[in-house]
Amino acid sequence: MALVSSARESLSHALNNRFLPNLEYLLQGSILDSAVEHLMHRLKGLCDNVDTSPETFHDLEVCMSLRQPNSNQPLLLRVRRALGRDAPFQMRYLGQPEVDQRRPTLVRSCMDCACTSSILEFLTEMGFRLEFEYIAKGYMFRKGRMKITVSKLIKIIPGKQQDMANEPISQSYIVELSVVAPTGQENVGEEMRVFAEQLKPLVQLEKIDYKRLGSMP
């Protein structure tokens, strides 16, 4: 228990004091199922390695929350693991989004690390609780340092195996354009804005203020 308590205190201290060197620059949008093939063709023409098929993913994502003393905002950590293939679990922390009208993208602090399959049990021991979970299945493209994902989000159906869950959350795909870069590289946002313009009118990528919507992506 002493180890768990120490880990929890160290994590809270690091986050509260902003010991996170990386920022994620993000634009998001959605496209109907009926139009996604047109977007795929556009991305294949714009992105790197146009002669090869885009990378695919089929992942389970679990969001865990921990109440923090003297704060109304719980600490959220996301754990993602690949389904159907052997790969390390990935844990991610995302800070509160900053929506600045002078910036072309949403910006938030982030931290990613690979971890073992016991990470969910360890987080539970620390006091984290399950917030939500879903399956993300789709395609990933790259353009230089930019990453573009086209994802179908799928509900976890109680009583079914995870690889059998097949009820989409909506009749559309989520499209995300992101870059993870060290603090101070403000030119990233302009690169992303220019790329996003090339995807119109198929998809409108925007900086979404989740504080106004009352939820987190």
Side-chain angles (χ1 to χ4, degrees):
M1 291 301 294
L3 175 62
V4 169
S5 177
S6 175
R8 182 167 55 235
E9 291 172 2
S10 297
L11 179 61
S12 296
H13 179 72
L15 298 179
N16 290 336
N17 289 278
R18 298 179 180 273
F19 294 156
L20 299 173
N22 288 335
L23 295 176
E24 182 184 52
Y25 299 80
L26 180 68
L27 292 172
Q28 296 172 298
S30 64
I31 187 169
L32 291 172
D33 292 355
S34 57
V36 74
E37 283 301 321
H38 298 290
L39 177 62
M40 295 287 290
H41 285 300
R42 178 74 60 86
L43 288 170
K44 286 178 182 178
L46 292 172
C47 293
D48 301 334
N49 300 324
V50 295
D51 295 330
T52 61
S53 299
E55 182 179 339
T56 61
F57 59 87
H58 185 195
D59 300 336
L60 170 68
E61 180 152 320
V62 179
C63 180
M64 305 289 285
S65 66
L66 175 69
R67 293 187 179 277
Q68 301 184 89
N70 306 319
S71 175
N72 293 327
Q73 292 287 342
L75 169 61
L76 299 178
L77 292 178
R78 293 165 182 260
V79 176
R80 178 174 282 219
R81 74 174 180 90
L83 299 175
R85 64 186 178 91
D86 186 20
F89 282 50
Q90 299 290 325
M91 185 173 69
R92 163 169 264 216
Y93 166 77
L94 295 171
Q96 290 296 317
E98 300 175 13
V99 182
D100 187 336
Q101 295 304 318
R102 296 169 297 179
R103 284 173 163 164
T105 71
L106 178 147
V107 179
R108 57 191 180 186
S109 56
C110 72
M111 178 174 63
D112 296 278
C113 65
C115 46
T116 66
S117 59
S118 62
I119 182 61
L120 290 175
E121 289 82 359
F122 181 68
L123 291 176
T124 300
E125 287 291 322
M126 289 178 65
F128 281 82
R129 294 293 178 263
L130 175 66
E131 193 75 18
F132 59 82
E133 60 181 345
Y134 60 85
I135 288 174
K137 186 176 183 179
Y139 305 90
M140 182 175 70
F141 298 83
R142 292 194 181 275
K143 177 67 173 178
R145 57 181 169 177
M146 291 183 286
K147 181 175 75 172
I148 307 95
T149 58
V150 182
S151 309
K152 171 66 71 173
L153 303 186
I154 302 170
K155 293 179 182 179
I156 301 293
I157 302 175
K160 282 195 175 184
Q161 296 181 10
Q162 289 166 351
D163 59 354
M164 295 176 63
N166 56 7
E167 185 178 340
I169 291 175
S170 69
Q171 298 303 309
S172 61
Y173 282 76
I174 301 297
V175 184
E176 293 186 328
L177 169 61
S178 65
V179 172
V180 174
T183 303
Q185 298 195 20
E186 295 298 327
N187 59 323
V188 170
E190 182 59 23
E191 292 178 29
M192 294 171 62
R193 185 195 66 78
V194 171
F195 186 85
E197 287 291 327
Q198 299 179 72
L199 300 182
K200 293 179 179 178
L202 288 173
V203 62
Q204 177 82 27
L205 297 180
E206 303 174 302
K207 48 182 181 182
I208 299 174
D209 188 350
Y210 285 94
K211 289 182 180 178
R212 288 187 176 184
L213 297 179
S215 62
M216 287 288 290

